Amino acid sequence: MLTNRLHGHLLFNFLAKDAKNLQDVLEAGKGYIIPGITAADHDVEAAVQKIHQFKKMIDIVSVGLGGNGNIDNWKKALEIAVRSEAGHVNQPFETASFAMGFIAGQQKESQWVNALVAPSGKVGTVRLASGKEVNTEWLVEMIKELGIPSIKLMPVNGLMHLEELIHLTQVAAKKGIRAIEPAGGISKDNIKEIVNGVKNTGIELFIPHIFGSTIHPTTKETIPEEVATILEKASE
């Protein structure tokens, strides 16, 4: 994973529409960026070709599920990641371990895989794709045993689930999970509070996924000025 991190532990995941948009986003993000595409918005071949273009400018690209974290896209996201050697792939908790094993069997280089769970509305539990609520400590221990490096929490809905996010990050850091990746409703208006909430947890990597609030409604490009503002707010 990229070693150039804001305050030693912060990276930001923004989507990029094309190579020019990526160039602008990388410049605005001052190197603290993992660019991404979503499986939902591409067919496999187009996604692979786009990632190959992106990797001429940066070593790692994130393949998201898309469709507001639609877990039905897990297989498509995995195929894109393997064929393009993207470097980072989003998966629901239920398929994350399989994805890691599949990648290991297909290519020499490993890829960063996260395990997606959802907030339950209660500190101390999270919700799986099945709808079942499980204890946060149990979940983190399971993910650690499976060797999955990162947990994605979505949708955090801005600040609505901040206490749950902080608790998950604390538990993850204590048990040796390398990263937490929140997504959903994160913007320049709440990034400072989110970042400040986890800054003393000891987590190695904190990677907010910030999409909707930074994407132009007409062009569908990520707006570089919004990226710069978010980094500025996170640095305060």
Side-chain angles (χ1 to χ4, degrees), residues 22-222:
L22 173 59
Q23 182 179 10
D24 292 340
V25 167
L26 291 176
E27 290 177 3
K30 300 179 180 178
Y32 304 115
I33 302 296
I34 300 173
I37 69 164
T38 63
D41 293 330
H42 299 80
D43 63 45
V44 173
E45 191 59 41
V48 170
Q49 292 306 313
K50 181 177 286 190
I51 290 170
H52 284 163
Q53 286 185 323
F54 286 4
K55 291 196 74 178
K56 294 175 182 178
M57 290 181 274
I58 192 165
D59 291 338
I60 186 168
V61 178
S62 176
V63 183
L65 299 170
N68 294 315
N70 184 351
I71 63 170
D72 291 340
N73 293 327
W74 74 269
K75 189 177 292 185
K76 186 178 180 184
L78 179 57
E79 182 180 357
I80 292 167
V82 169
R83 287 186 53 189
S84 66
E85 299 186 5
H88 180 283
V89 58
N90 293 253
Q91 291 285 289
F93 165 71
E94 290 81 354
T95 65
S97 182
F98 169 83
M100 289 182 65
F102 184 78
I103 290 168
Q106 294 290 316
Q107 51 195 202
K108 295 178 181 179
E109 296 295 326
S110 62
Q111 298 199 42
W112 186 273
V113 178
N114 62 30
L116 170 65
V117 295
S120 68
K122 295 180 288 186
V123 173
T125 67
V126 296
R127 192 181 305 277
L128 303 182
S130 65
K132 181 179 180 180
E133 287 185 26
V134 298
N135 178 271
T136 301
E137 296 248 1
W138 175 89
L139 175 93
V140 174
E141 189 65 41
M142 180 65 70
I143 288 173
K144 177 66 175 178
E145 289 297 316
L146 291 170
I148 300 164
S150 182
I151 303 171
K152 184 173 181 178
L153 188 67
M154 177 182 179
V156 296
N157 294 328
L159 300 177
M160 183 179 295
H161 298 286
L162 181 57
E163 292 305 313
E164 294 167 77
L165 174 61
I166 292 170
H167 177 71
L168 173 63
T169 306
Q170 289 170 334
V171 174
K174 181 178 70 175
K175 293 186 179 291
I177 298 295
R178 295 185 64 191
I180 295 294
E181 306 182 39
I186 303 175
S187 71
K188 62 186 178 185
D189 297 323
N190 53 40
I191 188 62
K192 180 179 179 180
E193 191 167 349
I194 291 170
V195 166
N196 285 344
V198 303
K199 69 178 180 180
N200 295 320
T201 60
I203 197 71
E204 179 186 342
L205 273 169
F206 189 71
I207 312 173
H209 292 233
I210 309 173
F211 298 161
S213 67
T214 64
I215 295 175
H216 193 284
T218 303
T219 67
K220 305 303 180 184
E221 295 177 344
T222 292

